[in-house]
Amino acid sequence: MNLYLVGMMGAGKSTVGRLLAERLGWPFLDLDSLIEAEAGMAVPALFSSEGEAAFRDREAELIARIAGGWAPEGAATHQPVVVATGGGAVLREVNRERMRVTGLVIWLEADPERLVERTVAEGVERRPLLAGTDPGSRLTELLARRAPLYGQAAHRQIPTDGRSPAVVVEEILSILATRALSAGGGH
């Protein structure tokens, strides 16, 4: 069973995912980084040269491979992995379904103001969907459209505002332990 982290850009998926993978001893996969490596260019360049639809095709193909048991070099095939998805991975129903069927999907949720703070601090130029004069309004608009899709994809929602990544990781580990106990009969 894989563990998929979904949520908006700036919600902490990569940070939490790395820590979680380390604690579990599982490989960590960052979808955007894998797409960049396979394409040989950064996400903003991909959006510019190929468009968002082509990027989403790459993303869906990679989710299908991971859901099918693919693992990066050095990891065992069919070994569980922690996956930090891109913020838009939930846009396609097939992605939401594949993730739900092959793993536990956790929605890392944050208030729009916090997301704007984090993405601006990281550099808006790395976020092609926030290009323009008002990244805050654009991010709020994206969140309003995507929130119902995160809800459809996720088995659980975890708020990240005012909480350290380590605290979020502990909550996810608790969810995993509870699921393992209930799957094993709970004794």
Side-chain angles (χ1 to χ4, degrees):
M1 171 186 76
N2 295 325
L3 198 145
Y4 300 94
L5 300 175
V6 300
M8 285 296 294
M9 58 188 92
K13 299 180 302 288
S14 295
T15 301
V16 168
R18 280 186 191 89
L19 291 171
L20 190 58
E22 185 177 301
R23 288 286 303 274
L24 291 167
W26 296 1
F28 171 69
L29 305 177
D30 182 291
L31 283 188
D32 286 351
S33 296
L34 288 170
I35 290 169
E36 287 178 338
E38 289 184 0
M41 64 179 86
V43 170
L46 276 169
F47 267 71
S48 178
S49 67
E50 297 180 2
E52 183 178 358
F55 176 83
R56 299 291 171 211
D57 289 342
R58 288 176 180 271
E59 186 175 61
E61 190 270 332
L62 193 50
I63 289 171
R65 286 177 19 215
I66 293 167
W70 172 85
E73 191 171 319
T77 305
H78 297 287
Q79 175 182 5
V81 294
V82 175
V83 182
T85 67
V90 297
L91 293 173
R92 293 192 178 174
E93 183 177 357
V94 66
N95 292 344
R96 296 190 304 271
E97 184 62 27
R98 279 187 179 128
M99 290 187 291
R100 280 190 66 82
V101 167
T102 63
L104 176 65
V105 183
I106 302 288
W107 173 12
L108 298 183
E109 185 267 331
D111 290 332
E113 299 80 25
R114 180 64 55 120
L115 295 171
V116 171
E117 287 173 18
R118 291 175 183 165
T119 54
V120 168
E122 292 171 1
V124 176
E125 66 281 352
R126 295 183 52 234
R127 311 289 189 170
L129 292 177
L130 298 184
T133 57
D134 189 358
S137 291
R138 180 70 177 132
L139 193 139
T140 301
E141 174 188 313
L142 287 169
L143 177 58
R145 283 202 333 251
R146 292 177 180 177
L149 303 176
Y150 293 135
Q152 288 174 17
H155 294 99
R156 294 289 295 270
Q157 178 179 347
I158 297 178
T160 62
D161 290 335
R163 303 171 82 201
S164 72
V167 168
V168 174
V169 165
E170 289 303 323
E171 185 170 345
I172 295 169
L173 291 171
S174 176
I175 292 167
L176 283 171
T178 301
R179 282 179 66 102
L181 282 175
S182 63
H187 298 306

